Amino acid sequence: MRIAISTSVIHRGRGGIAQYVFALVKALLPHAGRHDIHLLVLEGDLRLFDFAAGKVKIISIKEQFRAPVNDIAWHQSILPAWLRKHKIDVVHVPSCRRMLYSAPCALVATIHDLAQFHVAHKYDWARMVYVRVIARRLATRQDNIIAISQSTARDTERFFHVKPDRIHVIYNGLDQERFAPGEQAQAKTDVAKRWSLDRPFFLYVSRVEHPAKNHARLIDAFNQFRAVSSVEWDLAFVGSDWHGSDVIHAMAQRSPYGRDIRFLGFVEDAALPTLYRAADAMVYPSLFEGFGMPPIEAMSCGCPVLSSRRGSLDEVLGNSAGTFDPERVDEIVEALKRVAGDFQWRAALRDAGLRNARRFSWRENAERVLGVYEQAVERRQMR
């Protein structure tokens, strides 16, 4: 097959979709001899795909098409002509916000979540309307859709009215070599040196976003936990500022424990495993997730996880995490107190998390993705 993959939605390598695209491309590289793979990459992101250079064809796209409106226009008007010229069999767009209306080849898209239908004010009004109205129509034009969880598959059928036979659930995979257990003492030494985190700490890896990622209730819960705890713990947030981050920073400044609430900003991929290994527990209070990679990454590194049950999280984490209702601050407080004081429970969560994380691998997923491509090509040919 001649395959094209659009990568313009990776936001300069930051965020969950970027990690999905990088993992997908790496998983497909061993199959590049059998298939002709083209990566469509914005000029400013080319260096991020150095790992694929020489193994696939990397097509440079001008930076003028990075802005969302320009990028949408490029996908709908310029990309189809390129696909025709290069006789592409299937194009994969790994985001519901860039799905094509029509093309001279089979169309495949990945839908990560439809949080816009579950969380009010998740994005600005333009993005909310685009997904609720325009993306809904575009979804029915796809030959196949990859949903990253059963939860997202159900939402795709319910909200986008896509027929079940066109929806294929393929879980996100994990780099088991990079995200692996390690010596916690050494990790703590490294983290203390770089970020001055030299006390026990809770870790939350997510964009700093309000209200969907629920940082506000976690800060409230942390304040209550610290008020009754005999041990001084820190709370570390890892992630870039996003919509509503000013609200979260203001809450932290007002907190009586504000000096112990740390914003580490965006942390490069290479350093994330060290943070997971050093953390005494990861807390993931998100109000909605289409999958939830950070908790799985933490589990794979041997970090105990406390998590919301919303969206796909119950499905993906199973019984391997301590869970709470993310809208109940009292439940979050109790979870923090228990994991801080019950060493046996913390060890049990660590062991359960390690077992659960082994379920997620891109080796098998790559074959399944190629199968989705092949089926989409056959479906298009029949039409």
Side-chain angles (χ1 to χ4, degrees):
M1 284 184 295
R2 294 176 65 82
I3 302 165
I5 302 174
S6 171
T7 72
S8 66
V9 291
I10 65 172
H11 298 297
R12 301 185 187 275
R14 302 185 177 194
I17 294 181
Q19 300 311 309
Y20 174 86
V21 171
F22 296 150
L24 171 63
V25 172
K26 288 176 182 176
L28 291 176
L29 289 182
H31 305 275
R34 267 195 311 134
H35 302 287
D36 194 3
I37 301 174
H38 300 71
L39 301 183
L40 306 166
V41 183
L42 288 164
E43 290 173 335
D45 296 336
L46 288 171
R47 61 177 181 79
L48 300 176
F49 291 92
D50 284 347
F51 65 87
K55 301 172 185 176
V56 302
K57 295 181 176 67
I58 299 178
I59 313 302
S60 178
I61 308 301
K62 293 185 181 300
E63 275 295 306
Q64 69 189 69
F65 297 112
R66 182 179 292 277
V69 173
N70 294 350
D71 192 29
I72 291 170
W74 178 85
H75 276 82
Q76 302 300 341
S77 61
I78 298 175
L79 178 57
W82 184 92
L83 297 169
R84 179 178 292 105
K85 178 180 178 181
H86 293 273
K87 299 180 180 179
I88 299 298
D89 296 308
V90 57
V91 59
H92 183 183
V93 178
S95 167
C96 70
R97 297 195 296 271
R98 299 295 185 270
M99 291 184 291
L100 297 177
Y101 181 77
S102 65
C105 64
L107 299 176
V108 173
T110 297
I111 296 183
H112 299 269
D113 67 64
L114 293 180
Q116 289 88 343
F117 292 89
H118 292 276
V119 182
H121 313 299
K122 165 73 174 173
Y123 299 107
D124 58 80
W125 70 269
R127 296 187 191 206
M128 295 289 279
V129 170
Y130 186 88
V131 170
R132 285 171 170 255
V133 179
I134 299 174
R136 174 186 288 183
R137 184 173 183 185
L138 295 176
T140 62
R141 306 279 299 182
Q142 309 305 297
D143 294 287
N144 273 334
I145 284 178
I146 296 171
I148 63 172
S149 65
Q150 295 288 351
S151 173
T152 296
R154 288 191 296 270
D155 281 353
T156 301
E157 182 180 356
R158 175 187 175 190
F159 297 117
F160 279 178
H161 310 301
V162 176
K163 295 179 180 179
D165 66 327
R166 298 195 179 195
I167 305 172
H168 303 263
V169 176
I170 302 178
Y171 284 144
N172 284 339
L174 186 70
D175 186 340
Q176 303 280 352
E177 294 182 2
R178 186 159 66 93
F179 294 102
E183 179 56 50
Q184 188 182 44
Q186 181 59 54
K188 282 188 170 294
T189 298
D190 295 341
V191 165
K193 182 182 295 185
R194 177 169 174 180
W195 290 287
S196 299
L197 282 168
D198 51 10
R199 302 190 299 192
F201 70 96
F202 300 109
L203 178 68
Y204 184 17
V205 177
S206 166
R207 293 186 307 198
V208 180
E209 173 186 330
H210 180 73
K213 295 300 185 180
N214 209 25
H215 291 76
R217 289 189 181 89
L218 179 54
I219 289 175
D220 192 0
F222 178 73
N223 290 340
Q224 295 183 41
F225 162 79
R226 280 296 307 274
V228 298
S229 175
S230 59
V231 180
E232 293 184 340
W233 285 59
D234 292 334
L235 173 60
F237 292 129
V238 169
S240 303
D241 285 351
W242 203 251
H243 303 292
S245 62
D246 55 327
V247 175
I248 307 307
H249 286 285
M251 279 196 69
Q253 289 174 358
R254 292 195 302 269
S255 166
Y257 307 99
R259 294 181 61 183
D260 305 328
I261 300 174
R262 308 287 303 283
F263 292 88
L264 309 188
F266 174 77
V267 172
E268 67 278 11
D269 292 344
L272 267 180
T274 300
L275 272 165
Y276 286 135
R277 294 175 193 129
D280 295 271
M282 184 199 191
V283 190
Y284 203 75
S286 177
L287 294 176
F288 186 83
E289 291 294 326
F291 186 86
M293 278 302 296
I296 298 299
E297 293 171 350
M299 287 179 172
S300 193
C301 291
C303 180
V305 172
L306 307 174
S307 176
S308 157
R309 297 184 288 263
R310 295 288 178 85
S312 66
L313 290 170
D314 220 14
E315 168 191 345
V316 171
L317 302 181
N319 297 320
S320 58
T323 59
F324 49 78
D325 181 337
E327 296 188 71
R328 291 283 303 273
V329 173
D330 61 321
E331 288 193 20
I332 303 175
V333 173
E334 288 305 311
L336 298 182
K337 289 164 60 178
R338 184 179 178 189
V339 81
D342 189 336
F343 297 101
Q344 289 185 333
W345 190 51
R346 202 186 308 174
L349 289 178
R350 180 184 186 276
D351 293 342
L354 286 169
R355 290 192 298 270
N356 184 59
R358 296 190 191 106
R359 294 195 293 144
F360 305 98
S361 169
W362 265 112
R363 289 183 180 178
E364 296 179 5
N365 289 359
E367 292 283 0
R368 297 184 63 197
V369 169
L370 288 170
V372 171
Y373 293 167
E374 290 168 352
Q375 187 192 81
V377 171
E378 292 172 4
R379 192 189 300 276
R380 177 57 65 102
Q381 290 173 344
M382 290 175 62
R383 284 167 52 192

